[in-house]
Amino acid sequence: MARKQARPRATHEATLDILDKTCRSCGKRLQMARHGHRKVTTLEGGYHLTLKLYRCPNAECARYHQMCRPEEEGRWALPHSEFGLDVIALVGTLRYQQQRSIVQIHEELKRRGVVVAQRTVTDQLYRYEELLALHLADPDRLREKLREQKQVIVSLDGLQPDVGHEVLWVLRDCCSGEVLLARSLLGATENDLAPLLQEVATLCKTLDIPIAGVVSDGQQSIRNAVARALPGIPHQLCHFHYFREAAKLMADADRHAKKELKKLVRSVRPIERALEGRTDEEAEAVRGYGLAVRSALTDDGQPPLDAAGLRLRERLQAIDTSISRIGEKRGFQMRSFGSNSSFKRD
């Protein structure tokens, strides 16, 4: 789609020159050829870059008349890109660290004064992922990180910031915690995941470090992809997923217990309605207990290590004990949560 409006005018100017004016092939001094011009949008504003371009005058040189561009140009922006690296880094940070959507990222850039179309935000996110993938897959960096290890145990998991968006698949070494590969995919089938595992296998072969095993959840497509891409390599469920499956019956029972406990406190809302308009001390105290009950109902645990049903029972028991203690001091008796909670004086 063609641009509907002109780009904003640059508010800053900078001139870039090459650092070494000697030809790397023949050693002769480079000659000034012409000036190049670029417009780059950064978080600090729009820049008009003037580039001093040189070329080798030696007709016998292999780099004869090949244009030499300033080395500093790569610090500003990617080739053929109109947005600076700081904009790309911000887009990636907002997306994967703060879990913001494309629309929210677009609004944040506009708030910072960056004039950009929403579809361009998606393009910059792709550039971020490409740069991140290049950094993570750098053989020299990984060789330095993994040189003391004799094996690699690959963990595979997918991260989906928002429902309906692409899933970021991350392959990590369990021993060092180093990310071996990260890539966004629209699907999660065997055909989608097998190439990722094959790419990691090729990388480990290049580094001369064998893959000793694979750890993932129990998703069938992942199992098939591992069996296809890494035949003969052990594959097991991660400890959390294994324990979750082992405790599934207990977690189901806890979930049912929480459901039954919720039924016992459904009368909280009618009691709160009956207190509308009252500002006395007793009414405020009852409202406080109602708020405590509501807070307990919305406090979910993380099964199987943190059972939500047991936590709810403990909190409701503490509330019930507190109410009973106050009732005894003031000469009241309170019915349990199992009936319509009310007070009566002895």
Side-chain angles (χ1 to χ4, degrees), residues 272-302:
E272 291 177 331
R273 287 177 178 173
L275 297 174
E276 292 180 356
R278 291 181 54 182
T279 58
D280 55 280
E281 182 180 352
E282 291 184 356
E284 293 298 328
V286 174
R287 289 194 187 95
Y289 281 115
L291 182 60
V293 171
R294 291 181 178 278
S295 175
L297 293 177
T298 57
D299 188 8
D300 294 329
Q302 184 67 33

Side-chain angles (χ1 to χ4, degrees), residues 251-263:
D252 291 342
D254 179 77
R255 190 179 303 109
H256 177 73
K258 182 177 180 180
K259 180 180 178 181
E260 295 299 319
L261 286 171
K262 284 184 176 181
K263 294 180 180 179

